[in-house]
């Protein structure tokens, strides 16, 4: 049965207890874990979607105007993440990974903060990609954002790869297919876990929002840490409300 705990200090105690009792934990994070570092989320009270519209994958590949607008946002985001640091929650999760308690950190975030907090590549599954570099949509070659910016400044056009393909930030845009390898890794990690902790996600973006359901149906306990309600609250064993920084303070 689902129990909601509104007091974040009590939530911190419950989370620490559940993590201690578990053998293997999967942590799943969304934009809410990074707001206390200073990066706005999409759907929270100060979310970006209240200010701008998303640029869809189809628009990126068909419209030069959309590509230039997308790049402009990528350079702004690059400058924004360069100014911030991983917070208490990122660091607590990285420590649990180092101790072998957490077998995977599955994140919807593209800000690279889990890696900067010390989660190694083999434990980190970025299902929506990573905004700190770019790739060619045709051959997959890696490109750096600074080089892309220099190319746009020099030519006024969006950058191309040596192979002629479009270069795009290495994130999964709206309308773009999910990365199969990352989704497989995520499902594998979930099968091994007996506790799934969802942190700072509105749990509305598909297919990412199905991962907690998979965990639950595989027999794991489910805890949701979020400031607002989510559509999966009824499925969770515990729903812990309040600031993520406070709820993670006892770990
Ligand atoms: P979301 O914006 O849909 O939901 C974030 C949730 O976190 C909201 O319900 C909000 O109330 C809650 N929240 C925010 N700050 C909190 C805090 N300090 N304490 C407790 N709760 C808090 O985020 P989502 O579910 O991750 O979906 C958004 C998509 O946008 C993701 O796919 C992600 O790729 C992308 N995104 C990433 C970043 C980033 O990388 N930091 C930022 C914005 C959006
Ligand atoms: Zn290429």
């Amino acid at each position: 049965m689902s129990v909601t705990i509104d007091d974040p200090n009590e939530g911190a105690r419950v989370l620490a207890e559940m993590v201690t009792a578990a053998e293997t934990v999967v942590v799943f994070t969304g934009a809410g874990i990074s707001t206390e570092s200073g990066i706005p989320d999409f759907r929270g009270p100060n979310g970006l979607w209240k200010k701008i519209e998303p640029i869809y994958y189809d628009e990126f590949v068909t419209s030069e105007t959309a590509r230039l607008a997308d790049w402009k946002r990528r350079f702004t985001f690059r400058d924004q993440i360069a100014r911030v640091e991983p917070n208490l929650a990122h660091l607590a999760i990285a420590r649990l990974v180092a101790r072998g308690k957490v077998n995977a950190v599955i994140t919807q975030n593209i800000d690279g903060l889990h890696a900067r907090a010390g989660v190694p590549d083999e434990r980190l599954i970025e299902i929506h990609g990573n905004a700190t570099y770019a790739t060619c949509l045709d051959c997959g070659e890696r490109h750096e954002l600074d080089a892309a910016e220099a190319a746009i400044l020099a030519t006024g056009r969006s950058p191309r790869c040596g192979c002629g393909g479009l270069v795009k930030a290495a994130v999964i845009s709206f309308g773009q297919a999910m990365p199969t390898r990352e989704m497989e890794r995520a499902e594998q990690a979930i099968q091994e876990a007996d506790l799934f902790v969802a942190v700072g996600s509105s749990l509305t973006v598909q297919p990412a929002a199905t991962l907690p359901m998979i965990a639950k149906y595989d027999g794991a306990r489910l805890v949701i840490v979020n400031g607002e309600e989510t559509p999966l609250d009824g499925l969770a064993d515990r729903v812990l409300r309040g600031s993520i920084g406070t709820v993670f303070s006892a770990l």
Side-chain angles (χ1 to χ4, degrees), residues 1-5 18 216 221-224 229-241:
M1 196 193 61
S2 173
V3 174
T4 299
I5 296 169
M18 288 176 86
K216 190 70 197 159
R221 300 184 83 195
L222 171 62
V223 52
I224 294 177
E229 267 180 44
T230 83
L232 299 186
D233 286 358
L235 196 69
D237 297 275
R238 294 287 182 278
V239 177
L240 311 179
R241 293 245 194 277

Side-chain angles (χ1 to χ4, degrees), residues 28-36 39-45 47-49 77 81 107-113 128 172 174 199-205 208 225-230 240-245:
F28 173 69
T29 68
I33 196 175
S34 295
T35 58
E36 288 172 52
I39 302 175
D41 60 13
F42 278 169
R43 296 176 190 78
L48 273 182
W49 289 161
F77 192 65
I81 57 183
T107 188
Q108 294 178 270
N109 294 345
I110 56 176
D111 55 28
L113 288 179
H128 289 170
I172 306 299
F174 282 91
V199 190
S201 173
S202 59
L203 300 177
T204 50
V205 185
V225 184
N226 204 51
E228 296 182 305
E229 267 180 44
T230 83
L240 311 179
R241 293 245 194 277
S243 133
I244 291 165

